[in-house]
Amino acid sequence: MKKNTLAIGIIAVLGMAYVGTSWYTGSMIENHIDNQLAQVTNKVNQIQDVFTFSVTKSRYEKGIFSTKVHLTVTASPNESIIQDATSKILFDDDVTIHHGPFPIAALAKGTFAPQMAWLEYEMSQQANPTLWKLAGNRPFISGHTGMSYGEYITVKLASKAIKASQNEIPAIHDGILDISNGSYTFSSYTNGSDIKTEIKLDKLVFLSDDTHFNFDDFNLSLKPLSTTEDIDYEFNIGNIKYSFDSFISKGNFDVNNFKSKGRVNYKNQNIDEQSSIDKITLNMKSSTPKIESVIINKIVMSQKNVLNDTNNTIEGSLVSSIGSIIYGQQNLGNGSLDINFKGVDKQFFNYQFKTHAPDISENDKHNIEFSLNKFNWHNAGGDINVNFLFNISDINNASINEKDYDKINTFKFKLEAPYDVLARLSAQIENPNASHVTAEQIAKENFVIKTKSKKLFSQSSFFTFNKDQTEGFYSDVQYTKGSQNVNVNGQLLDKKDFFKNL
């Protein structure tokens, strides 16, 4: 009997302690909620300048184990970026906050670590009757938010699959929208540090009379760094399909397994990214029988841009390769590209810079350099190779005129395009339905290209048509600052005449 009494006493003490802790946690939440909402709102407004977000609370009803509160989230566009736009209410609904340390709702979700607060949310019918109906008379969005005693917040939301037409959602504009279930996870400390975002969506389809667009297996993860402007990201889409039917053209294309990851600075547009696509398929439907499907395999790209704040220019690089291009049944070959550039006006990359970038003055002169380190296209006939280097000093605009010729430091251009390679490409394009081309077909195209090229360019010193007993298009141009001449295929030409006629 004494043991039973002791056990009941322990349970009672633990029960009262839990109630007391829950009540204390509820009081902590009540005392700090305004400050926490302000911190989160300020951080969101700091890391972007397109909208100003605000969060307000109302109808705060505190109980022992939970609190019910109404939250309203509003986004007001920055008029300097978005003209004639009005504020929009993004969220306006009740939420329930369960008090720690071990909210039953959190335990039910498999979270056993102590939580100061656990917020459960289901979009109500009143919040959006249309989405409620489209989701099968259920909450379109549901989820929870957990905040540990270390003030780390984790938000997990899920959306129901819906299918809607213009009658139900006017913004669709004459089509049908079909979206699968989705999941969305956001986490960070309340001060905005260690932010992580993950978005997953199995399918999104849009259908109309002249357009069919869908993608499958959408995955996006974002992690802003301590600077809040730099974001590490990873973006994958399993498949993208797009079909179109207009009075101009009709066809479709598929993109398989698109992947991209890297780091981007959303303010200065610094980029360091690596992307790949397994396959792109383009089908054009036409009365012309020669227009066939085009398949591009194994696309790989690496891009880097860095902004120079002192003169508003970009320095960067682009390296890319293609495994093969299949036109009809013909394999046209594979290629690669390698580019570097310096001193390029940042407005060239993004028109939004025009809003913020000051005019470049005479004191902002800088060097411009563009280098095509490598362009190569290879097929069974051989290789086409192109190299180019251009460097000029003391430029403060994008245009170059005659008075700037003396500012050119280096100009180099080299082209090697044998007729055999060009003729094979031409024969393959002329015969897409064949699995290969004959020697006679290649010889015919070789003769046509040779005849036309010599007719058009025989008087030009810029091209020659033979190198090491191999016929084709060739050019080798070199100029360095200080010389009055440009070496063009072994001939010296006056630099002013050369650049004026270039």
Side-chain angles (χ1 to χ4, degrees):
M1 186 67 179
K2 290 183 179 180
K3 290 182 180 180
N4 291 338
T5 301
L6 179 60
I8 293 171
I10 292 173
I11 293 172
V13 169
L14 291 175
M16 287 187 292
Y18 183 80
V19 170
T21 304
S22 295
W23 177 261
Y24 173 73
T25 299
S27 298
M28 285 180 60
I29 295 171
E30 184 177 17
N31 293 333
H32 292 86
I33 188 169
D34 289 329
N35 182 52
Q36 300 293 359
L37 290 175
Q39 283 190 41
V40 173
T41 304
N42 289 337
K43 184 58 64 174
V44 172
N45 288 328
Q46 286 176 13
I47 64 175
Q48 57 80 43
D49 55 6
V50 179
F51 293 93
T52 298
F53 289 88
S54 63
V55 182
T56 59
K57 79 177 198 304
S58 58
R59 297 203 301 270
Y60 194 93
E61 301 173 2
K62 187 184 75 171
I64 296 177
F65 298 105
S66 65
T67 295
K68 180 175 286 190
V69 62
H70 189 95
L71 295 178
T72 302
V73 180
T74 304
S76 301
N78 185 338
E79 292 184 359
S80 65
I81 298 176
I82 302 176
Q83 301 295 328
D84 301 325
T86 58
S87 299
K88 293 188 178 297
I89 296 177
L90 304 180
F91 183 88
D92 189 22
D93 211 345
D94 291 331
V95 295
T96 300
I97 304 174
H98 299 276
H99 308 161
F102 296 101
I104 300 300
L107 297 175
K109 296 290 185 181
T111 299
F112 300 103
Q115 300 289 310
M116 183 171 71
W118 185 270
L119 184 152
E120 291 279 350
Y121 171 73
E122 289 187 338
M123 178 183 283
S124 66
Q125 183 177 5
Q126 293 76 16
N128 196 313
T130 300
L131 291 177
W132 176 275
K133 182 179 179 181
L134 291 173
N137 295 318
R138 295 178 298 170
F140 171 62
I141 294 177
S142 59
H144 63 265
T145 299
M147 185 169 74
S148 69
Y149 283 92
E151 297 190 342
Y152 190 78
I153 298 176
T154 302
V155 180
K156 290 190 176 183
L157 300 175
S159 60
K160 296 288 192 301
I162 62 171
K163 189 173 184 179
S165 65
Q166 182 185 20
N167 294 331
E168 294 157 316
I169 302 180
I172 292 176
H173 295 304
D174 223 4
I176 296 175
L177 183 65
D178 186 359
I179 305 177
S180 69
N181 294 333
S183 65
Y184 318 88
T185 302
F186 313 91
S187 59
S188 78
Y189 287 99
T190 56
N191 63 5
S193 63
D194 197 23
I195 302 174
K196 298 176 184 177
T197 301
E198 291 184 5
I199 299 174
K200 296 182 180 180
L201 194 63
D202 292 337
K203 179 184 70 173
L204 184 149
V205 179
F206 176 76
L207 299 170
S208 68
D209 292 338
D210 56 4
T211 302
H212 177 191
F213 170 82
N214 74 276
F215 65 72
D216 301 315
D217 299 328
F218 175 92
N219 291 273
L220 172 65
S221 64
L222 302 172
K223 180 176 172 52
L225 304 182
S226 57
T227 61
T228 72
E229 297 177 5
D230 290 300
I231 298 174
D232 281 343
Y233 77 92
E234 188 165 347
F235 179 51
N236 301 324
I237 300 180
N239 181 257
I240 303 172
K241 295 181 184 291
Y242 179 70
S243 300
F244 49 92
D245 185 359
S246 67
F247 70 94
I248 299 176
S249 60
K250 182 178 181 180
N252 61 77
F253 72 81
D254 292 355
V255 178
N256 292 328
N257 200 22
F258 170 71
K259 296 181 178 180
S260 181
K261 66 178 181 178
R263 179 171 297 177
V264 60
N265 184 300
Y266 78 94
K267 281 192 174 181
N268 60 26
Q269 305 296 305
N270 285 355
I271 296 173
D272 186 356
E273 65 176 0
Q274 299 81 43
S275 303
S276 66
I277 298 174
D278 282 356
K279 182 168 71 172
I280 297 177
T281 303
L282 173 64
N283 294 291
M284 297 295 294
K285 299 178 181 179
S286 171
S287 58
T288 304
K290 286 186 179 179
I291 297 181
E292 297 288 335
S293 66
V294 177
I295 299 174
I296 307 174
N297 292 308
K298 297 298 180 183
I299 303 169
V300 179
M301 184 177 73
S302 178
Q303 181 181 1
K304 184 177 291 186
N305 291 347
V306 179
L307 174 67
N308 184 337
D309 288 317
T310 60
N311 55 23
N312 295 320
T313 63
I314 300 283
E315 175 181 341
S317 63
L318 172 65
V319 179
S320 182
S321 64
I322 294 175
S324 65
I325 296 181
I326 310 299
Y327 178 60
Q329 297 186 51
Q330 297 282 0
N331 186 339
L332 302 183
N334 58 76
S336 59
L337 178 71
D338 183 353
I339 294 173
N340 290 101
F341 50 87
K342 296 179 181 178
V344 179
D345 194 315
K346 66 181 181 181
Q347 295 183 20
F348 179 80
F349 289 86
N350 191 330
Y351 73 93
Q352 290 182 346
F353 279 133
K354 295 180 180 180
T355 304
H356 307 288
D359 294 334
I360 298 176
S361 68
E362 288 295 320
N363 296 326
D364 292 324
K365 292 179 179 180
H366 55 275
N367 289 8
I368 296 176
E369 180 172 300
F370 180 85
S371 174
L372 174 58
N373 303 314
K374 176 183 179 183
F375 171 79
N376 170 265
W377 190 260
H378 174 82
N379 64 18
D383 291 271
I384 297 172
N385 290 296
V386 183
N387 304 95
F388 177 67
L389 174 62
F390 177 75
N391 183 293
I392 188 168
S393 301
D394 297 330
I395 295 295
N396 68 336
N397 55 56
S399 62
I400 299 173
N401 52 42
E402 188 172 348
K403 69 178 182 179
D404 294 319
Y405 295 158
D406 289 333
K407 300 177 181 179
I408 297 174
N409 300 311
T410 307
F411 183 94
K412 293 182 179 180
F413 176 78
K414 191 170 185 178
L415 166 68
E416 297 177 343
Y419 286 147
D420 288 345
V421 184
L422 298 172
R424 174 174 287 276
L425 277 173
S426 181
Q428 289 178 306
I429 293 171
E430 286 294 318
N431 300 276
N433 294 317
S435 59
H436 66 282
V437 290
T438 65
E440 291 78 10
Q441 291 169 328
I442 296 174
K444 177 184 176 182
E445 295 301 319
N446 195 317
F447 176 79
V448 171
I449 294 172
K450 184 188 303 183
T451 302
K452 289 184 176 180
S453 63
K454 291 186 176 180
K455 182 178 180 179
L456 293 172
F457 304 110
S458 61
Q459 301 302 315
S460 172
S461 59
F462 197 78
F463 293 106
T464 61
F465 305 99
N466 192 296
K467 181 181 180 182
D468 300 330
Q469 306 302 313
T470 302
E471 293 186 300
F473 279 104
Y474 298 95
S475 185
D476 189 352
V477 180
Q478 297 186 43
Y479 168 79
T480 55
K481 188 171 185 178
S483 175
Q484 297 302 312
N485 299 306
V486 180
N487 188 323
V488 182
N489 300 314
Q491 300 182 41
L492 297 180
L493 303 180
D494 181 80
K495 71 174 182 180
K496 290 185 178 180
D497 293 337
F498 174 82
F499 288 117
K500 182 185 293 186
N501 297 318
L502 188 64

